Amino acid sequence: MLKYQDVAKKIQQAIYQQNLPKGTQLPNIEGLIQQYQVSRTTIIKALNRLERHGVIYQIQGSGIFVRQPKKQGYLNFLESHGFSVDLNDLPGSSQVFNVDVMQPNVKVKEYLQCEDDEYVYYIKRLRLVEGKVYGFEQSYYRKKIVSYLNKEIAENSIFSYVKDICKVNIGFSDKYFKAIKLDEDIAPYLGLNAGDPALCVEEIFYTSSGEPFDFSQIIYHYDNAKFFVQSHSK
């Protein structure tokens, strides 16, 4: 984690831990420099990151203020933090069905740019929030980048494991949305009926060097899943 990212995380944690309401003014840049003992450049980059993520807003000549916190239990529709980060205000869990090593099918091979002799980890799990089914997820991780996965890891935050243990620098993602009707294979996992509506989200995650390492598809429960979007004019 880069220094400005670490400082941004600490400022965000302080806001949440103190339960600061919307409009609360934070220390100015000089005050934050003293508080976190970092350079002006680091603080400015940290504040810009927090502003992009909807945590704060800045008014030139007036100061730095806490933005309206997101509603409890809502996923950020545009960010790619994962359940563990976005839903840390509610108890969540994963029910893992399998963690298998396999050769990718044509679609996965194309999305992940796999070589002919490559293998991937295939993970199938339910994502639960407060005991309710939020979504059904199928994920494929390139074994050459994420060398080891098991059920215990998959029951928690795979991304934390990938970053902290595998030392993969996660860069960016491409996300695709479509409305679907559930088929007879997927519907039972969600406790719904074939033909019921659902939101299908497919996402390809890349390392900071632009190499794809994870292709995931999540099909969200039409009644339980909730989302929000925070826009930024800059």
Side-chain angles (χ1 to χ4, degrees), residues 168-181:
V168 174
N169 292 319
I170 300 173
F172 53 91
S173 71
D174 296 324
K175 188 179 289 190
Y176 306 89
F177 309 87
K178 61 181 177 181
I180 64 170
K181 291 184 177 180

Side-chain angles (χ1 to χ4, degrees), residues 1-2 9 13-14 20 25 29 32 40 47 62 66 73 76 87 99 131 135 157 163 170 173-174 188 207 212 218 225:
M1 183 180 297
L2 299 176
K9 182 178 179 181
Q13 287 175 338
L20 299 179
Q25 186 167 5
I29 289 177
L32 292 172
R40 174 179 290 271
L47 293 174
S62 296
V66 175
N76 190 319
L87 291 174
V99 179
S157 172
K163 289 188 295 183
I170 300 173
S173 71
D174 296 324
T207 67
I218 303 182

Side-chain angles (χ1 to χ4, degrees), residues 92-114:
S93 61
S94 298
Q95 180 181 345
V96 180
F97 297 104
N98 63 274
V99 179
D100 299 324
V101 176
M102 58 180 285
Q103 287 191 301
N105 60 33
V106 174
K107 179 179 179 179
V108 175
K109 181 179 179 182
E110 178 182 355
Y111 281 0
L112 292 181
Q113 300 175 21
C114 295

Side-chain angles (χ1 to χ4, degrees), residues 111-136:
Y111 281 0
L112 292 181
Q113 300 175 21
C114 295
E115 301 293 337
D116 290 339
D117 60 347
E118 273 196 60
Y119 284 81
V120 297
Y121 279 103
Y122 169 54
I123 297 174
K124 184 166 61 177
R125 58 183 179 171
L126 282 182
R127 307 312 299 265
L128 308 170
V129 179
E130 291 190 305
K132 294 181 179 180
V133 176
Y134 219 82
F136 172 70

Side-chain angles (χ1 to χ4, degrees), residues 41-63:
T41 300
T42 296
I43 286 295
I44 290 173
K45 290 176 71 173
L47 293 174
N48 288 339
R49 178 180 177 86
L50 291 171
E51 191 166 28
R52 288 195 306 272
H53 291 173
V55 179
I56 64 166
Y57 62 95
Q58 303 181 74
I59 301 177
Q60 189 172 3
S62 296

Side-chain angles (χ1 to χ4, degrees), residues 153-213:
I153 295 168
E155 287 173 344
N156 297 284
S157 172
I158 296 178
F159 264 35
S160 294
Y161 167 79
V162 168
K163 289 188 295 183
D164 299 337
I165 305 301
C166 299
K167 303 301 181 183
V168 174
N169 292 319
I170 300 173
F172 53 91
S173 71
D174 296 324
K175 188 179 289 190
Y176 306 89
F177 309 87
K178 61 181 177 181
I180 64 170
K181 291 184 177 180
L182 296 173
D183 61 30
E184 294 181 351
D185 294 326
I186 302 299
Y189 288 106
L190 296 169
L192 297 173
N193 299 313
D196 281 346
L199 175 66
C200 176
V201 178
E202 294 185 337
E203 191 161 11
I204 305 168
F205 294 88
Y206 300 82
T207 67
S208 56
S209 62
E211 189 172 11
F213 71 92

